[in-house]
Amino acid sequence: MNSGPKKGTGRNPRPPKVKNKAPAEIQITAEQILREAHDRRLEPTHSIPRQKISDLEELSEFRQRKRKDFEDNIRKNRLNVGNWIKYAAWEESQMELQRSRSVYERALDVEARNPAIWLRYIEMEMKNRNVNHARNILDRATSLLPRVDQFWYKYTYMEELVGDVPKARNVFERWMKWEPDETAWQAYIKMELRYHEEERAHALYERFVSIHPESKNWIKWAKFEEEHNNMDKCREIYSEALEYLGEEKLEQKILVAFAKFEIKMKEFERARIIYKYGLERLPKSQSQSLYNQYTNFEKQYGDREGIEDVVLGKRRVQYEHDIESNPKNYDVWFDYARLEESSGDPTRTREVYERAIAQVPPANEKRYWRRYIYLWINYALYEELETEDTNRAREIYTQCLKLIPHKTFTFAKIWLLAAQFEIRQLNVQGARKLLGQSIGMCPKNKLFKGYIDLEMQLRDFDRCRTLYSKYLEYDPTSCSAWIKFAELEKLLGEVDRCRAIFELGIGQPVLDMPELLWKAYIDFEISEDEYEKTRNLYVRLLERTEHVKVFISFAQFELSIPYEEGSQEGVDRARKIFVDAYDSLKTKELKDERVLLLEAWKDFEENNGTEDTQKVVQDKMPKVVRKRRKAADSTEDNVIWEEYFDYIFPDDQVQSRNLKFLAQAQAWRQKQEE
């Protein structure tokens, strides 16, 4: 037997399924619903009928019925404070104050720490002018809940309202023992001022700032003393505030207030000191208002020097902020040091430079050190040129050279600057020692060149020869070193030594720029009028490279030799070089080079040749044609064509026709043999 509920009885938790989902015959629109709602709002609503009480018996029954309802509500939910308050308020409306007190007391037994009950209870007694009852309740409330400020405010207000100021003061004193917030102290002070008790107000402010020593409270106290014309006390308060707050809790608003007070007292120097004191100790993010006030102050009361100090101070703050965010930003350090140099304070400048050079790059890679090393250089130059402290400058160079990891990389500039510094101090041996040490530890081309230039200025040529020898042992591929060494020997008149150096140089298997060395050797022989040796040099050079410029230079050299008047030997030699060069380039199929050669040859024949020789060159001039070819970046799927200019030489066409004729003749011969 099924013991469950019968069908159709009980509550179905799931809504029934709608079987017929077809639309209804009569459709209701949203507009119709809104219209009906609008019409129905004018219909009279159901109102509870008002009951009229005609005699005391009905009143008694009504009260009994209402009390029963309230008691039932309270019995259902004792913790609902609203029921208690409504009950007590109703009893009060019936002028049953004793019953209302009883209800409030019962409510307090249930919820003794609910401020709403206490406040309604107090307001009831005060409304009905039961001062002693209200005083007793307030005593109980403030004893039980001393942190609820409303009780204290009502208590003091009531005592002051009834004119009992000493009792109000006693209430405030009881309250102050709990160290309430600022508004409570301000209320106490205002009460004393209302009754002209300035001395008590002074004492209260002193107690107030001892408990709440924030900047705004010190300012309130100082302004209070200022309003009462106690200027010495006001200055004493500001000074005591700065001493108490210290650098950790210092705020710009108290400094601004102190400075404005001193300005009002015409103590401009005191105000300037206060502004500077704050700007030196507060970070930029917390001193913007202070700086703006200082700027306005200097514009109004300062001189040009003071305004410049303000500008410097602002830029210092900006630089400090940038350095704090990124201490390895050397550009900021450069600007900061330049600023301090312009201010003319060596102590501050040295401090900035010392802080800057302490920011050593994080890795031993030269790219990180390139900017950093200039901090040392600028520091040393500042000490030498501005402060004229040579010992300090020498120490800076020494410390910098110790810091650089020379085994990994070095900076030739710092070695050379240190040596030049020693030269300016007339310490030649010290400079040589530094440069010798640099070459021994970390040889570089720039160091060799700088050392050699120094010895050249000192006219110590034996040392220069020794240094060039060391230089070429270190880097035999340096053509500039070979050329400079040879120029030194030529300067000294040692022609054979100069020629021997050139021969050693061109005999090196690897050179960085051999064309410069060959050109310098050829120019040397030409300057010595050794034309045969120069010709031999050109021949040797052409054995190594058949560059078109070498041929042209060789021909120009032959043409420049001073032969006897009327002799054509130079022209013939030059023409022969052009012919040999053309044949060589033609064999190698170098079209662009042939064009350059023909242009030079054509100029030569126009100046030195005849019509026949000019016609020979003109007949060799190529024809420029435009052609197409596949681009280098073309693919099988995407073929890209590009246009280019090509040269067609007449003699190449004759040769191709001859080759074609020979090929046809060979084919005919094979056919005859078959």
Side-chain angles (χ1 to χ4, degrees), residues 83-226:
N83 292 334
W84 291 103
I85 293 175
K86 289 177 183 178
Y87 190 6
W90 182 81
E91 292 289 357
E92 183 187 358
S93 67
Q94 299 298 315
M95 300 306 295
E96 295 284 350
L97 298 183
Q98 195 61 36
R99 286 180 174 274
S100 180
R101 291 191 190 102
S102 175
V103 173
Y104 277 122
E105 292 294 340
R106 288 169 60 196
L108 291 174
D109 290 340
V110 176
E111 284 283 343
R113 293 188 173 274
N114 193 317
I117 300 174
W118 287 103
L119 288 173
R120 290 299 185 90
Y121 196 3
I122 295 165
E123 288 172 0
M124 183 201 73
E125 298 293 359
M126 292 175 66
K127 191 188 301 180
N128 293 282
R129 301 186 179 184
N130 295 323
V131 177
N132 289 328
H133 281 284
R135 194 174 283 145
N136 293 333
I137 297 167
L138 284 167
D139 279 331
R140 291 166 58 193
T142 53
S143 300
L144 184 64
L145 301 172
R147 293 296 179 185
V148 180
D149 293 342
Q150 286 178 294
F151 297 155
W152 296 104
Y153 282 122
K154 284 191 175 295
Y155 202 174
T156 55
Y157 172 72
M158 185 189 72
E159 296 294 355
E160 192 175 356
L161 192 64
V162 299
D164 199 344
V165 177
K167 283 190 177 181
R169 189 176 290 120
N170 290 336
V171 173
F172 268 119
E173 287 295 334
R174 286 172 53 195
W175 190 6
M176 295 305 114
K177 290 179 181 179
W178 292 96
E179 297 183 1
D181 58 6
E182 292 89 343
T183 53
W185 288 92
Q186 290 296 321
Y188 192 6
I189 293 168
K190 287 178 181 178
M191 188 200 76
E192 296 292 0
L193 292 175
R194 280 197 295 273
Y195 298 101
H196 307 290
E197 296 285 348
E198 282 82 5
E199 291 299 325
R200 290 180 177 273
H202 291 305
L204 281 175
Y205 263 117
E206 189 169 355
R207 291 167 58 192
F208 172 38
V209 296
S210 66
I211 295 172
H212 297 285
E214 288 82 10
S215 298
K216 59 180 181 180
N217 298 330
W218 288 97
I219 295 171
K220 288 177 183 178
W221 186 13
K223 287 184 176 180
F224 168 77
E225 298 292 349
E226 185 179 352

Side-chain angles (χ1 to χ4, degrees), residues 547-563:
H547 198 278
V548 63
K549 290 185 178 180
V550 178
F551 284 111
I552 295 172
S553 178
F554 192 6
Q556 291 172 350
F557 160 71
E558 291 292 355
L559 191 62
S560 66
I561 296 175
Y563 291 99

Side-chain angles (χ1 to χ4, degrees), residues 568-634:
Q568 292 292 321
E569 184 179 354
V571 176
D572 295 339
R573 283 178 179 273
R575 185 176 290 115
K576 184 178 183 304
I577 291 169
F578 278 118
V579 173
D580 293 341
Y582 185 81
D583 293 339
S584 174
L585 296 174
K586 178 182 176 182
T587 304
K588 296 181 179 180
E589 298 182 356
L590 300 173
K591 293 184 178 182
D592 294 336
E593 287 77 0
R594 285 164 71 185
V595 173
L596 291 174
L597 182 70
L598 286 171
E599 293 289 341
W601 192 359
K602 182 180 178 182
D603 293 339
F604 164 74
E605 294 295 350
E606 288 175 354
N607 295 323
N608 303 285
T610 61
E611 292 182 359
D612 295 336
T613 56
Q614 291 177 11
K615 187 175 183 306
V616 170
V617 178
Q618 189 63 37
D619 293 340
K620 293 180 181 293
M621 294 300 288
K623 180 182 178 182
V624 182
V625 295
R626 182 180 294 177
K627 293 184 178 181
R628 294 179 67 200
R629 63 186 174 189
K630 287 185 179 181
D633 55 348
S634 62

Side-chain angles (χ1 to χ4, degrees), residues 247-507:
E247 296 185 7
E248 295 180 357
K249 299 180 181 180
L250 188 63
E251 295 181 6
Q252 59 179 343
K253 55 186 177 182
I254 191 168
L255 292 164
V256 171
F258 194 5
K260 285 182 177 180
F261 166 75
E262 295 294 354
I263 293 171
K264 192 181 295 184
M265 302 303 296
K266 308 297 183 183
E267 295 286 348
F268 302 121
E269 195 59 35
R270 283 176 174 269
R272 184 176 289 109
I273 293 171
I274 292 166
Y275 280 125
K276 290 183 178 180
Y277 174 85
L279 290 173
E280 289 174 358
R281 285 161 176 78
L282 288 176
K284 181 190 174 185
S285 58
Q286 302 176 11
S287 61
Q288 191 61 42
S289 175
L290 180 65
Y291 181 76
N292 294 335
Q293 294 289 339
Y294 184 32
T295 306
N296 295 332
F297 167 76
E298 289 293 350
K299 288 178 180 178
Q300 292 179 2
Y301 307 105
D303 52 6
R304 181 178 178 182
E305 184 179 355
I307 296 173
E308 288 178 355
D309 287 342
V310 173
V311 175
L312 289 176
K314 182 177 181 180
R315 292 176 64 186
R316 283 191 189 104
V317 170
Q318 179 65 39
Y319 289 140
E320 289 290 347
H321 180 265
D322 295 341
I323 289 167
E324 185 178 356
S325 60
N326 183 11
K328 294 292 189 294
N329 188 349
Y330 300 122
D331 292 331
V332 177
W333 286 112
F334 286 128
D335 295 338
Y336 198 0
R338 200 175 297 115
L339 173 70
E340 295 299 346
E341 287 182 23
S342 65
S343 68
D345 188 350
T347 304
R348 294 184 70 100
T349 306
R350 285 179 180 139
E351 179 186 354
V352 171
Y353 271 121
E354 290 292 338
R355 290 171 58 196
I357 61 178
Q359 301 298 326
V360 182
N364 287 343
E365 295 184 24
K366 194 168 184 177
R367 60 194 178 100
Y368 296 122
W369 288 64
R370 291 187 187 277
R371 296 289 291 161
Y372 169 72
I373 206 68
Y374 279 95
L375 290 171
W376 288 92
I377 294 172
N378 291 352
Y379 191 11
L381 292 175
Y382 170 75
E383 293 292 351
E384 179 187 0
L385 302 176
E386 299 295 332
T387 64
E388 298 181 357
D389 191 343
T390 55
N391 293 329
R392 196 178 185 93
R394 183 179 290 110
E395 181 64 23
I396 291 168
Y397 280 121
T398 304
Q399 293 299 324
C400 179
L401 291 172
K402 286 181 181 179
L403 182 65
I404 299 172
H406 299 290
K407 293 183 179 180
T408 308
F409 59 85
T410 190
F411 290 94
K413 181 183 291 291
I414 196 72
W415 288 103
L416 295 174
L417 286 173
Q420 291 165 6
F421 166 75
E422 295 295 347
I423 292 293
R424 289 193 292 272
Q425 306 307 315
L426 306 179
N427 185 8
V428 179
Q429 288 302 117
R432 285 173 173 161
K433 183 178 178 182
L434 273 173
L435 291 173
Q437 183 183 358
S438 70
I439 291 172
M441 291 176 61
C442 44
K444 288 183 68 175
N445 292 348
K446 195 173 180 181
L447 287 172
F448 279 109
K449 291 177 183 177
Y451 198 177
I452 291 168
D453 289 342
L454 173 63
E455 296 297 348
M456 286 287 290
Q457 293 173 7
L458 296 173
R459 297 295 186 267
D460 194 338
F461 301 114
D462 290 335
R463 284 183 179 272
C464 289
R465 287 193 178 106
T466 304
L467 287 171
Y468 271 121
S469 301
K470 295 287 186 183
Y471 187 6
L472 293 171
E473 287 177 10
Y474 165 69
D475 186 12
T477 64
S478 176
C479 290
S480 62
W482 289 104
I483 294 169
K484 291 290 185 182
F485 194 5
E487 288 176 353
L488 172 65
E489 296 297 348
K490 181 183 177 182
L491 180 67
L492 298 175
E494 298 288 345
V495 178
D496 294 335
R497 291 175 69 96
C498 178
R499 187 173 288 115
I501 290 168
F502 274 124
E503 287 293 335
L504 284 172
I506 63 176

